[in-house]
Amino acid sequence: DQQVKQNSPSLSVQEGRISILNCDYTNSMFDYFLWYKKYPAEGPTFLISISSIKDKNEDGRFTVFLNKSAKHLSLHIVPSQPGDSAVYFCAAPQGGKLIFGQGTELSVKP
Amino acid sequence: EAEVAQSPRYKITEKSQAVAFWCDPISGHATLYWYRQILGQGPELLVQFQDESVVDDSQLPKDRFSAERLKGVDSTLKIQPAELGDSAMYLCASSLDGQAWYEQYFGPGTRLTVT
């Protein structure tokens, strides 16, 4: 049972445009969400998070939006840069561990 | 900047052989995690340590996998015997206690190929 889902395995965006990565979850008890970024041959690195008491959190070019009624969150990257090309995972804490989505591979074209 | 260290980075082994992976977490991080990531999927927790104690190993295939963190610092994950389906990236992560546990710091991983 996949509690955190990223239904788009890949996304291609032009440099300078907006990248929008989506994540859906099924467990309404989740109260915190994180986004991790992973380059090839490296481990995931923490990018940004959001608590369920908020609907938006912004950090520079990265903004995460949370829609609790739809059980949906999204990561916006504006403007997108070639260095943003990576796999992005959303994750939620549950019972002391993180539940990860399947990941979305973002490719930003120059 | 402090990092989680893992070795080896790559390992190729034949099925039925034994393999071992090592992880050294960030100094001061009491919690250590081993994840397995299959290509095209997200990381899945295998085992979690709090200091030297196992907190969660519910997803660890205990017939062939074992993990230890004897002194509450570095950790070893072992597979014996390896099977073809064990081919994956094995990631180690660590975190501080308290609210900060959400933000886990990952090592570079060990890419295991079983032939």
Side-chain angles (χ1 to χ4, degrees):
Chain A
D1 179 27
Q2 191 77 25
Q3 297 188 74
V4 178
K5 302 177 185 179
Q6 294 175 259
N7 293 316
S8 298
S10 63
L11 175 68
S12 184
V13 172
Q14 204 68 30
E15 180 179 8
R17 306 296 290 269
I18 184 171
S19 296
I20 300 176
L21 297 99
N22 294 304
C23 179
D24 297 295
Y25 60 96
T26 57
N27 190 339
S28 58
M29 299 300 290
F30 287 154
D31 59 4
Y32 199 85
F33 300 90
L34 305 94
W35 284 92
Y36 279 82
K37 176 180 179 180
K38 184 181 184 303
Y39 291 118
E42 294 184 14
T45 55
F46 170 73
L47 186 59
I48 192 169
S49 62
I50 188 167
S51 166
S52 62
I53 63 173
K54 295 183 176 182
D55 55 16
K56 175 184 175 181
N57 188 28
E58 189 173 356
D59 183 1
R61 296 186 297 113
F62 302 90
T63 303
V64 57
F65 295 91
L66 176 61
N67 183 334
K68 285 178 287 184
S69 61
K71 296 191 181 67
H72 176 83
L73 62 155
S74 59
L75 175 68
H76 293 212
I77 307 174
V78 183
S80 301
Q81 300 173 355
D84 296 328
S85 297
V87 177
Y88 290 79
F89 294 98
C90 63
Q94 181 188 52
K97 65 183 179 184
L98 289 178
I99 309 296
F100 285 87
Q102 306 96 309
T104 296
E105 182 173 11
L106 173 66
S107 176
V108 180
K109 307 290 186 184
Chain B
E1 184 177 316
E3 296 179 342
V4 176
Q6 287 189 250
S7 67
R9 294 291 306 275
Y10 304 91
K11 179 69 178 180
I12 300 174
T13 190
E14 294 182 347
K15 62 180 181 179
S16 79
Q17 296 298 305
V19 291
F21 313 132
W22 176 80
C23 172
D24 191 13
I26 293 173
S27 178
H29 282 194
T31 309
L32 184 148
Y33 312 82
W34 283 101
Y35 288 88
R36 177 170 59 186
Q37 185 195 356
I38 297 171
L39 194 62
Q41 299 181 20
E44 292 184 324
L45 181 71
L46 290 175
V47 61
Q48 177 185 344
F49 289 92
Q50 179 71 28
D51 298 310
E52 67 275 8
S53 300
V54 173
V55 173
D56 183 352
D57 63 356
S58 57
Q59 299 303 309
L60 189 70
K62 299 181 189 63
D63 57 334
R64 298 185 299 107
F65 286 64
S66 64
E68 60 184 15
R69 194 184 183 197
L70 293 177
K71 297 183 180 179
V73 181
D74 58 340
S75 175
T76 302
L77 178 69
K78 298 178 181 178
I79 308 175
Q80 182 174 17
E83 296 181 353
L84 295 177
D86 297 331
S87 295
M89 174 75 84
Y90 290 83
L91 295 161
C92 178
S94 68
S95 68
L96 292 166
D97 287 341
Q99 182 67 25
W101 82 264
Y102 288 170
E103 297 177 11
Q104 299 179 11
Y105 295 81
F106 285 81
T110 296
R111 168 70 67 186
L112 173 67
T113 301
V114 182
T115 62

